[in-house]
Amino acid sequence: MSETLDQQNQTPVEEGAGAQAAPAQPLSGESPPMGQVPSTATPLEIPSPEISPQEIPAEVLLSAEVPSAARPQASRAYRCQCGRPVFFRNSQCLACQTPLGFDPPHARLLPLQPGPTEGTWLPWDEPDGAPLQRCANFHTASGCNWMVPVRQDGSTPSLCQACLLTRTIPDQSVPINQQLWTKVEMSKRRLVSQLILLGLPVVPLTEDPRGLAFDLLGAAPGGPRVMTGHANGVITVNIEEADDAVREKVRAAMREPYRTLLGHFRHEIGHYYWDRLVRDGPWLEDFRTLFGDERQDYAGALRLNYEQGPPADWQQRFVSSYASTHPWEDWAETWAHYLHMADTVDTAVSFGVNSDNVDLEHEPFGVADLWQPDAPDATQFLEFINGWVRLTAVFNELSRSMGQPDFYPFAMPRATVGKLQFIHRVVTGAAAVEVVTEQASGEAQPDVAQAPALQPLA
């Protein structure tokens, strides 16, 4: 996560940051010429949301935070019509060969049956339901298993909500790029499914100047590396990070305890949502109180970190050493951990994992560690955090039993609990804004997007 671009002007911090990418293929929307990294030197003017969290009716905010320990926000445990377990990335049940497809608005992996016309599908248990069709990338190296609704006016999009965000793909004439693209898109779909589930705004940059786009690029042969980073709604990902050997070599060289594709996506999307939700909104002053003043020299802070390393006391104040570099990176690293925690807990609860059964003594975090001790869901948030500590301690021991690195190789200092709660409140507020906006516009609202509450592991 340490190879990033200056958010404001893409100033490269390491030599080679201005790498010329290998020929790339536009996937959707207005794309740069092949072989060029898109220029985003001129910042977009991103307006503030029309509705601020302070204007949201109290009953809406509270309903978005009602604790629900009995079930996950949306199940990550799926079953085929034959009763066998199937998984998020599956497009066919291996037991009975039933076709499967992911339904993004409702976070369901659906068993499918042929629809009324060629190329359309219906949910297995909804023969009279609305027809769906597969994302056009199902038949590409991406192997996308997401579904799109068939519209009566014939304007059905060919790409799903996740693939519409990808603006540029790597050159598919290079065989290795097909394998890397498969892995990159798989991680991106996991990310996007969680963003939708949390009720966060997920809109392509081609449709909204505040929207999001991904450029998935590879370096030209013999050329410098492409830099993974975010600028003005565009997230650039170096597809070499999908090569396990390359990624592990970089991780060791950077002395990082953890480096994954999904981690990169969750870190960089944090930069995007800082611009979208914090920069021009009512959260900015509280952000500066907790994380620091983002107006300090960003490129200089990165250079200082690379030259001198993190401060000696970073483990008492930050979720990772890289988070100590600059307030933007503290936010992005903490945001990534929030997404890691929320998705892992959802998955654990989906499969019946209960941290209350963990026989492990630890000193729990308390109300004094919170940013807003009087928040409506403060007790639930503390249960979530303390359950996470117990659960990951066991997961780490399980990993060690297999001779593998720790599942969660981080120690969470008390200073980060308030930051995590702040991010939770920003996410919850953004989801409530989306609900109110949809209600005002008369748009249909998916069931799962109405309750972005963290789940206690109980």
Side-chain angles (χ1 to χ4, degrees):
M1 296 182 189
S2 55
E3 294 176 296
T4 54
L5 299 175
D6 185 319
Q7 282 191 293
Q8 304 306 313
N9 57 24
Q10 295 200 111
T11 302
V13 178
E14 294 185 345
E15 182 179 356
Q20 179 68 28
Q25 299 175 0
L27 187 61
S28 64
E30 297 179 3
S31 301
M34 292 179 65
Q36 290 187 8
V37 178
S39 173
T40 52
T42 303
L44 293 172
E45 292 296 327
I46 301 180
S48 300
E50 295 181 1
I51 304 173
S52 71
Q54 285 83 349
E55 299 173 301
I56 301 170
E59 62 271 17
V60 175
L61 273 172
L62 289 173
S63 68
E65 300 166 358
V66 173
S68 177
R71 61 176 177 82
Q73 184 182 331
S75 181
R76 286 289 193 181
Y78 314 106
R79 289 193 178 273
C80 178
Q81 56 84 22
C82 71
R84 299 291 184 89
V86 289
F87 302 94
F88 177 72
R89 61 184 183 181
N90 292 158
S91 58
Q92 184 181 61
C93 174
L94 298 181
C96 69
Q97 284 70 58
T98 296
L100 306 170
F102 186 72
D103 176 24
H106 303 97
R108 301 180 299 172
L109 186 64
L110 300 173
L112 302 171
Q113 59 178 309
T117 59
E118 184 178 359
T120 65
W121 300 88
L122 293 170
W124 188 274
D125 58 354
E126 300 175 22
D128 297 323
L132 305 167
Q133 71 180 35
R134 288 197 180 278
C135 173
N137 272 336
F138 176 72
H139 298 290
T140 69
S142 171
C144 181
N145 68 338
W146 285 28
M147 309 300 291
V148 295
V150 175
R151 298 174 182 166
Q152 294 182 352
D153 63 2
S155 62
T156 301
S158 60
L159 296 173
C160 71
Q161 191 170 0
C163 289
L164 279 172
L165 301 174
T166 302
R167 188 172 68 166
T168 312
I169 65 173
D171 182 2
Q172 295 297 282
S173 68
V174 180
I176 187 62
N177 284 357
Q178 296 183 26
Q179 301 174 31
L180 299 180
W181 186 37
T182 300
K183 294 181 179 180
V184 170
E185 290 287 357
M186 192 179 301
S187 291
K188 182 167 71 68
R189 286 193 293 272
R190 184 83 188 197
L191 168 75
V192 176
S193 70
Q194 184 184 18
L195 301 179
I196 296 171
L197 182 63
L198 290 172
L200 290 167
V202 182
V203 182
L205 186 59
T206 54
E207 298 178 10
D208 186 338
R210 297 176 297 161
L212 176 65
F214 290 91
D215 287 329
L216 313 177
L217 306 175
R225 300 184 72 212
V226 171
M227 300 297 291
T228 293
H230 164 265
N232 306 313
V234 178
I235 291 176
T236 301
V237 175
N238 179 0
I239 63 168
E240 286 186 350
E241 291 289 343
D243 186 318
D244 294 342
V246 171
R247 189 178 63 255
E248 175 59 20
K249 182 178 180 180
V250 174
R251 187 202 65 78
M254 302 295 292
R255 299 182 180 179
E256 297 172 339
Y258 171 93
R259 189 182 185 94
T260 67
L261 262 178
L262 188 54
H264 278 302
F265 276 115
R266 285 174 170 164
H267 175 99
E268 298 305 337
I269 204 70
H271 288 303
Y272 166 73
Y273 281 116
W274 188 89
D275 282 355
R276 178 85 190 249
L277 304 176
V278 177
R279 185 184 66 186
D280 301 315
W283 302 104
L284 184 58
E285 289 308 314
D286 287 326
F287 165 84
R288 288 173 177 166
T289 299
L290 284 167
F291 293 87
D293 193 333
E294 82 288 351
R295 292 169 292 188
Q296 64 182 273
D297 181 17
Y298 178 76
L302 287 185
R303 290 192 183 95
L304 185 65
N305 178 72
Y306 292 135
E307 292 170 1
Q308 300 182 11
D313 65 343
W314 72 264
Q315 291 176 315
Q316 281 71 54
R317 298 190 290 130
F318 302 96
V319 75
S320 70
S321 62
Y322 190 59
S324 68
T325 304
H326 185 276
W328 276 336
E329 297 306 335
D330 191 10
W331 161 271
E333 287 284 273
T334 310
W335 173 282
H337 280 255
Y338 174 84
L339 295 189
H340 288 330
M341 297 162 68
D343 196 22
T344 302
V345 167
D346 241 14
T347 303
V349 175
S350 298
F351 285 94
V353 176
N354 186 341
S355 70
D356 282 351
N357 293 330
V358 173
D359 186 13
L360 180 71
E361 294 293 331
H362 77 102
E363 184 179 353
F365 295 111
V367 172
D369 299 310
L370 294 176
W371 167 59
Q372 286 187 339
D374 298 327
D377 61 350
T379 299
Q380 180 202 6
F381 186 80
L382 277 176
E383 291 174 353
F384 164 76
I385 292 290
N386 288 318
W388 173 256
V389 173
R390 294 193 300 272
L391 188 71
T392 52
V394 174
F395 284 176
N396 285 346
E397 285 301 311
L398 290 172
S399 295
R400 294 163 191 165
S401 297
M402 290 294 294
Q404 294 293 321
D406 282 0
F407 170 85
Y408 185 72
F410 303 94
M412 189 182 301
R414 294 187 179 276
T416 63
V417 174
K419 296 175 184 178
L420 285 164
Q421 189 198 19
F422 175 79
I423 288 174
H424 174 58
R425 301 291 293 169
V426 171
V427 169
T428 303
V433 168
E434 291 293 298
V435 170
V436 172
T437 302
E438 289 172 353
Q439 289 174 344
S441 65
E443 295 179 6
Q445 303 159 41
D447 296 337
V448 297
Q450 306 228 6
L454 291 172
Q455 302 305 316
L457 286 169

